[in-house]
């Protein structure tokens, strides 16, 4: 079958690497594996995978070296595997262009969900683009980019300009975890300051309330505490 997604698995711990590979193959993906950063770059060039799963702690270099290399001229989704609990590593990987991360130990369900979201995000960008006249649909939520209006189950949801800008930005990166600083930079730009994170949280609370999203029933927008927000299909 040639229509299988090709996934490059970059992980030096052989038991984790084979676990991931077996799980991916069982789910219909084609797998290419390697254990060093330099071999990952070579394999990336020769196989042009649809997605890469990247361990940050590699024997020859920091996994971020691979990420920087890929992002020089490619939007291929990269999902980072991190044993580190330090939030700053995840945030620097995301700000360098990683699509998402999972922290070890992770469940196969969690990794598969992150992979599907990252692949969806790429398809969305490739097939539908971010045309100003386009519409974005996620479950019951619709965004009309041209009219700058939003709907839930056909009913209009009135948002402020800032709320709309945040929602539209996340939707353009649907499936990708966006750090707080990436959202703040996009929305407030030069006017960003120490109070921006608080403003972002207040706006996000309003967006959730208007779309009837409660902590008991999370949907559309997920918060990775201390890291950022991801818009996605229900997990
Ligand atoms: Ca490692």
């Amino acid at each position: 079958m040639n229509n299988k997604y090709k996934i490059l698995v970059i992980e030096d711990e052989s038991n984790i690497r084979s676990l991931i590979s077996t799980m991916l193959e069982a789910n219909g993906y084609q797998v290419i594996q390697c254990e060093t950063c330099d071999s990952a770059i070579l394999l990336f060039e020769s196989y042009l995978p649809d997605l890469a799963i990247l361990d940050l702690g590699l024997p020859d270099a920091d996994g971020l070296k691979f990420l920087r290399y890929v992002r020089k001229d490619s939007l291929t989704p990269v999902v980072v595997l991190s044993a580190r609990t330090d939030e700053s590593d995840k945030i620097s990987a995301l700000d360098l262009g990683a699509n998402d991360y999972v922290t070890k130990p992770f469940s196969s369900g969690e990794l598969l969900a992150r992979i599907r979201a990252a692949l969806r995000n790429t398809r969305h960008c490739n097939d539908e683009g971010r045309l100003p006249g386009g519409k974005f649909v996620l479950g019951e939520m619709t965004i009309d980019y041209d009219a700058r209006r939003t709907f839930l189950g056909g009913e209009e949801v009135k948002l402020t300009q800032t709320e709309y800008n945040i929602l539209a930005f996340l939707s353009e990166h649907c499936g990708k975890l966006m750090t707080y600083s990436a959202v703040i930079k996009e929305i407030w730009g030069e006017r960003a300051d120490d109070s921006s994170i608080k403003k972002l949280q207040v706006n996000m609370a309003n967006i959730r309330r208007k779309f009837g999203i409660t902590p008991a029933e999370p949907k559309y927008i997920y918060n990775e505490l201390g890291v950022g927000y991801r818009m996605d299909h229900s997990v």
Side-chain angles (χ1 to χ4, degrees), residues 14-128:
S14 59
N15 54 341
I16 299 180
R17 194 174 63 247
S18 67
L19 197 82
I20 294 173
S21 304
T22 307
M23 188 259 294
L24 291 177
E25 281 163 358
N27 282 274
Y29 296 102
Q30 187 188 331
V31 177
I32 308 147
Q33 334 178 7
C34 65
E35 46 195 283
T36 63
C37 188
D38 287 347
S39 57
I41 289 172
L42 291 174
L43 289 172
F44 182 81
E45 287 299 333
S46 37
Y47 288 95
L48 300 173
D50 298 294
L51 180 142
I53 296 173
L54 173 68
D55 177 34
L56 288 182
L58 296 172
D60 58 334
D62 192 306
L64 295 178
K65 180 182 166 191
F66 173 81
L67 184 59
R68 278 194 200 92
Y69 178 85
V70 168
R71 278 296 169 268
K72 272 193 294 188
D73 57 8
S74 156
L75 289 172
T76 304
V78 176
V79 175
V80 163
L81 293 181
S82 175
R84 310 171 196 188
T85 47
D86 187 357
E87 298 297 298
S88 67
D89 285 319
K90 296 170 187 166
I91 291 167
S92 30
L94 291 165
D95 283 338
L96 275 172
N99 291 60
D100 218 323
Y101 69 82
V102 287
T103 306
K104 295 178 193 171
F106 50 85
S107 70
S108 40
E110 189 185 357
L111 181 58
L112 285 169
R114 298 281 76 83
I115 290 169
R116 283 194 298 266
L119 288 170
R120 253 198 317 268
N121 172 235
T122 321
R123 280 204 303 276
H124 176 69
C125 295
N126 291 346
D127 300 346
E128 297 163 56

Side-chain angles (χ1 to χ4, degrees), residues 11-13 55 57 104:
E11 165 64 80
D12 59 312
E13 285 171 67
D55 177 34
K104 295 178 193 171

